[in-house]
Amino acid sequence: MAKRRRVALMLELNWPFKRHHDVFAGTQQYAQEKDGWECIVDAQAQETLAGPRRAKVAYDGIIARVTPQLAEAARRAGVPIVNVWTSSPVRDVPLVLPDFAAIGRMAAEHLLGRGFRHFGFLGFTRQRSNRASHLAFEGMILEASRGT
């Protein structure tokens, strides 16, 4: 049997955001399907990588909401890292995100399909994810209003 890969997950699961839990659920599903990952929830992965336990807790990779401190610790340890945080200040690691424009279009299609004709959007438009969803939502609504 091939060696199981040890993957650290640093996802802030104590926050009440569905997307954090969905990323966790996706990693668990993948780990079960491939039977090649041992997933370790490590809320302080940057300290684990830099600390005295590093040799005992070696990771083959990390999936995280990447902070500058974690990115630096992973670089020093030679551990590959994948970022799942839309607003992360770290820009030089692979980033995996949902299709936020598709989310906005789906929301608009759902409301239009239910016959609504007055709309609003609630979100933090300073965040890239909300801005993309808002623009796509608004575009679908405007397109539908021109078609009627």
Side-chain angles (χ1 to χ4, degrees):
M1 183 172 149
K3 177 186 172 234
R4 290 175 60 101
R5 296 182 185 272
R6 293 176 49 87
V7 179
L9 306 174
M10 189 173 145
L11 303 172
E12 296 173 347
L13 295 171
N14 57 330
W15 290 14
F17 294 114
K18 185 177 183 316
R19 66 184 170 271
H20 293 202
H21 296 272
D22 287 348
V23 170
F24 177 77
T27 60
Q28 298 310 294
Q29 181 180 345
Y30 183 86
Q32 282 183 337
E33 288 171 4
K34 302 301 179 191
D35 193 32
W37 282 14
E38 176 187 356
C39 295
I40 299 109
V41 176
D42 185 349
Q44 301 299 323
Q46 70 273 3
E47 279 129 27
T48 301
L49 290 175
R53 296 179 41 216
R54 192 224 173 298
K56 285 192 255 179
V57 193
Y59 295 132
D60 296 300
I62 300 174
I63 298 172
R65 291 172 46 86
V66 178
T67 63
Q69 297 81 6
L70 177 59
E72 182 56 31
R75 258 187 231 99
R76 278 190 308 238
V79 176
I81 192 164
V82 174
N83 199 351
V84 294
W85 181 14
T86 308
S87 300
S88 173
V90 178
R91 299 281 187 237
D92 61 344
V93 298
L95 180 65
V96 176
L97 299 174
D99 184 341
F100 294 110
I103 292 167
R105 287 190 299 272
M106 287 173 64
E109 288 170 357
H110 172 75
L111 296 173
L112 288 164
R114 298 225 180 261
F116 288 96
R117 296 293 168 243
H118 300 279
F119 304 91
F121 184 91
L122 178 62
F124 300 103
T125 55
R126 289 185 190 149
Q127 291 180 349
R128 184 171 53 185
S129 58
N130 279 240
R131 196 169 41 252
S133 294
H134 176 250
L135 290 172
F137 179 86
E138 185 177 50
M140 288 292 295
I141 300 299
L142 291 172
E143 184 179 311
S145 70
R146 284 188 223 119
T148 57

